[in-house]
Amino acid sequence: MIRVLLVHDACLVRSVLAEWLRGEPGLHVEDTPWPAALARARSVRPDVCAADLDCADGHGVPPLGELCPPGTGGRSPALVVLASAKRPGLLKRAAEAGALGFVDKAGSPDRLVRAIHSVAARERFVDESLGFGFLKAAQMPLTRRELSVLSLAAGGASIAEIAGSLHLSNGTVRNYMAAITRKTGARNRIDAIRISQGEGWV
């Protein structure tokens, strides 16, 4: 039996998808929205976490690295993400967080089942339709930390709020914003956000 924790903020979508997965033999499925995900992962101790990348903490920064704590015997849960090729920034973050499975949200639910079984066996699963998104992610000039800063800024957070969320000093956040502006060829912070959103980075 594979223990699965489904993480999705849209209650209706999460409930329907979880119920559908429960109909699959060999899967024991729990579900949760993102705000409760870390606590549920610690209590459920799943074999696989299946998380929607578009659902996050309100600023577009899903805490993927924290979602998979050590499981039984010190083994971390395998991570499957529900993604879109239009959001290469999130694909990059998921890959850097150690995700093994990448399922196109526009595809068939059967693909998610296949991905869950693959990553439970510690095998990689990637939908071919996400290839273009990965290509764009590879060409992205921003680092993971810069993407986190930019995502918070795009959500309307101030320098001080970004610093508090990421445990950085205000000066360090300003330095990151300056680097982001330079790398994106933007005129200012607002322009950098506009360019990055247009590219699907945030």
Side-chain angles (χ1 to χ4, degrees):
M1 185 68 69
I2 300 172
R3 298 188 308 276
V4 179
L5 178 63
L6 176 66
V7 184
H8 201 303
D9 272 348
C11 182
L12 179 60
V13 175
R14 185 180 72 247
S15 299
V16 171
L17 187 54
E19 198 59 35
W20 187 84
L21 288 173
R22 289 184 184 113
E24 290 294 316
L27 299 183
H28 174 81
V29 182
E30 300 285 343
D31 64 276
T32 181
W34 266 110
L38 303 185
R40 286 299 298 279
R42 285 191 292 270
S43 63
V44 172
R45 303 186 80 80
D47 301 304
V48 175
C49 289
D52 180 15
L53 284 183
D54 285 328
C55 300
D57 63 359
H59 293 299
V61 186
L64 295 172
E66 302 171 43
L67 183 60
C68 295
T72 305
R75 194 184 196 199
S76 296
L79 177 61
V80 175
V81 294
L82 307 177
S84 167
K86 297 178 181 178
R87 301 292 302 277
L90 291 176
L91 283 174
K92 182 174 183 177
R93 274 199 212 129
E96 291 174 342
L100 285 177
F102 297 83
V103 178
D104 191 340
K105 289 166 50 164
S108 164
D110 291 326
R111 302 291 289 172
L112 177 56
V113 175
R114 289 182 58 187
I116 288 171
H117 283 284
S118 293
V119 303
R122 289 312 195 255
E123 297 173 356
R124 187 171 293 280
F125 181 97
V126 181
D127 266 334
E128 292 182 3
S129 54
L130 295 176
F132 180 68
F134 277 106
L135 181 62
K136 290 191 72 175
Q139 298 169 339
M140 192 180 309
L142 304 180
T143 66
R144 187 163 106 185
R145 179 62 88 182
E146 288 165 350
L147 282 170
S148 295
V149 169
L150 186 60
S151 294
L152 290 166
S158 67
I159 294 293
E161 288 170 335
I162 295 171
S165 294
L166 300 179
H167 309 291
L168 302 170
S169 69
N170 289 1
T172 299
V173 173
R174 290 191 185 93
N175 288 340
Y176 277 125
M177 286 305 308
I180 291 165
T181 302
R182 183 181 69 254
K183 288 182 178 182
T184 56
R187 296 185 302 275
N188 51 43
R189 172 180 171 175
I190 301 301
D191 195 33
I193 292 171
R194 179 189 62 78
I195 291 170
S196 299
Q197 287 177 330
E199 292 290 338
W201 298 344
V202 295

